[in-house]
Amino acid sequence: MDKGLVIKNTGSWYLVKTDDGSCVECKIKGNFRLKGIRSTNPVAVGDRVKIIRNQEGTAFITEIEDRKNYIIRRSSNLSKQSHIIASNLDQCMLIVTVNYPETSTTFIDRFLASAEAYRVPVCLVFNKTDRYSEDENRYLDGLINLYTTIGYQCYKTSAINNEGINEIKQALAGKITLFSGNSGVGKSTLINSILPEQNLKTGDISNAHNKGMHTTTFSEMFPVDGGGYIIDTPGIKGFGTFDMEEEEVGHYFKEIFKFSAGCKYGNCTHRHEPGCAVREAVEKHYISESRYNSYLSILDDKEDGKYRSAF
Ligand code: GDP
Ligand code: ZN
């Protein structure tokens, strides 16, 4: 019996890195089922598992340790079935650009809120710093100031000039990190400058992924210096969907949640209720207008019935 970490899933077998450092190809034991989750793949990259090797040299995964979190994608054709993309994420890096292409604060805030709901810490990576004008740089500093104050670690990078890459590498060491971001922000270029030489180059990563997307459950974590892993998920925008009550939405905006302790009503939605400490904080500029608007936009979606697809 060995313990290890699932670092690759081809759909028919899994690659497990055991705690003594060897890599073992494993199958799932025939009667193996995961409790509680209706998933097309019972085992995902990031899972901590127990394996048993038999005399023929084949190995089987016999047990999965409880996951601290996981991200899923719902299958389009099989109702209520989901596909687990990865589990046990330590953090997520959201790559954004002020321009080229423009990333809206609404997009950032929705992403942050869904990550809060999944209890995955996020850091923001503002890429393409080499391209910004003076005005754009001022705006960037404003954003960094805003999100740092709320409690999100921010980084500035230029994947092309190799600026800020060492800081990113340090933040990745020893952790499982999901990379996210709109297409065009430089995610592949950034990953390329981070990954050690022995890893696949990003073109290969994307190709492998894209192929997998259409057919099987292919996913893989890429080792980085210092014992961590990167998970790249082309085409996956957020953390998947989940249901929640209106008054819960504010729990996922750190600073709104903090101020909501002072609201008169426990179930305050911070829109029109009297004695709302959150609205007062917005008026006094303790909470930024853009964050409050993002919060309201999620509530609006909920009213329109499109809430579940919003994340
Ligand atoms: P992805 O879709 O997020 O994976 O983006 P890519 O890595 O494919 O990059 C999109 C474009 O932005 C490419 O033309 C890159 O060369 C360019 N790019 C990526 N990072 C930077 C950067 O830091 N500065 C500049 N100026 N261009 C970048
Ligand atoms: Zn309130």
Side-chain angles (χ1 to χ4, degrees):
M1 176 92 68
D2 281 311
K3 283 186 175 182
L5 175 71
V6 178
I7 59 173
K8 182 173 177 172
N9 167 14
T10 67
S12 49
W13 53 270
Y14 299 87
L15 193 63
V16 174
K17 179 147 195 227
T18 61
D19 291 347
D20 61 22
S22 58
C23 282
V24 186
E25 288 181 13
C26 299
K27 303 252 177 192
I28 298 181
K29 234 180 156 52
N31 60 358
F32 186 86
R33 286 284 176 276
L34 190 62
K35 284 171 278 175
I37 302 167
R38 285 181 64 188
S39 167
T40 49
N41 61 321
V43 178
V45 296
D47 276 337
R48 299 264 329 155
V49 295
K50 282 187 184 157
I51 64 169
I52 290 181
R53 306 178 210 226
N54 65 17
Q55 271 126 3
E56 292 90 65
T58 39
F60 290 96
I61 293 172
T62 57
E63 210 177 311
I64 306 177
E65 287 179 24
D66 286 345
R67 296 173 172 136
K68 71 173 176 185
N69 58 43
Y70 56 87
I71 49 169
I72 60 170
R73 179 165 44 104
R74 277 179 211 287
S75 306
S76 44
N77 45 359
L78 300 166
S79 64
K80 298 235 169 75
Q81 284 268 21
S82 18
H83 173 65
I84 303 175
I85 296 158
S87 67
N88 297 322
L89 306 174
D90 292 309
Q91 62 182 353
C92 172
M93 288 199 172
L94 179 63
I95 321 302
V96 298
T97 44
V98 167
N99 251 330
Y100 325 108
E102 184 181 343
T103 312
S104 72
T105 51
T106 318
F107 171 81
I108 295 175
D109 294 334
R110 284 172 177 245
F111 188 94
L112 293 176
S114 64
E116 289 292 329
Y118 278 79
R119 290 187 291 277
V120 179
V122 182
C123 10
L124 295 171
V125 178
F126 294 90
N127 191 34
K128 304 202 186 184
T129 52
D130 57 286
R131 276 195 75 168
Y132 299 144
S133 68
E134 218 170 285
D135 277 353
E136 287 165 344
N137 267 317
R138 247 194 306 278
Y139 180 67
L140 171 65
D141 287 340
L143 286 182
I144 288 179
N145 186 31
L146 167 64
Y147 288 105
T148 307
T149 306
I150 296 168
Y152 293 103
Q153 176 86 48
C154 295
Y155 298 94
K156 285 196 212 182
T157 58
S158 165
I160 287 209
N161 291 351
N162 245 21
E163 214 183 286
I165 302 300
N166 276 338
E167 285 82 352
I168 301 289
K169 282 183 176 172
Q170 277 165 25
L172 295 173
K175 293 183 171 164
I176 297 181
T177 305
L178 176 76
F179 268 64
S180 298
N182 283 327
S183 90
V185 295
K187 200 156 55 107
S188 315
T189 315
L190 207 55
I191 290 175
N192 224 3
S193 62
I194 291 163
L195 285 182
E197 282 304 310
Q198 72 269 24
N199 276 308
L200 286 175
K201 287 298 180 189
T202 42
D204 299 329
I205 295 176
S206 301
N207 288 339
H209 263 290
N210 289 339
K211 264 182 232 144
M213 286 295 157
H214 300 302
T215 52
T216 55
T217 54
F218 194 93
S219 56
E220 186 165 5
M221 306 200 296
F222 295 92
V224 294
D225 291 333
Y229 293 89
I230 289 178
I231 303 171
D232 182 21
T233 55
I236 309 283
K237 284 270 167 61
F239 284 81
T241 58
F242 56 94
D243 292 310
M244 67 170 97
E245 297 300 321
E246 257 194 350
E247 59 264 29
E248 276 181 90
V249 177
H251 296 189
Y252 304 121
F253 285 72
K254 289 182 204 258
E255 74 284 37
I256 291 182
F257 182 62
K258 204 173 72 191
F259 278 98
S260 69
C263 292
K264 187 172 170 193
Y265 300 106
N267 61 352
C268 189
T269 65
H270 323 307
R271 279 182 294 199
H272 322 289
E273 295 90 340
C276 174
V278 169
R279 280 214 329 279
E280 192 188 326
V282 176
E283 273 154 33
K284 290 184 175 164
H285 307 292
Y286 295 135
I287 292 177
S288 100
E289 198 103 10
S290 70
R291 289 278 291 170
Y292 182 62
N293 287 336
S294 298
Y295 165 77
L296 290 180
S297 82
I298 293 175
L299 288 188
D300 287 349
D301 281 358
K302 201 163 163 55
E303 273 180 356
D304 293 346
K306 49 176 176 157
Y307 178 67
R308 295 190 80 254
S309 59
F311 283 134

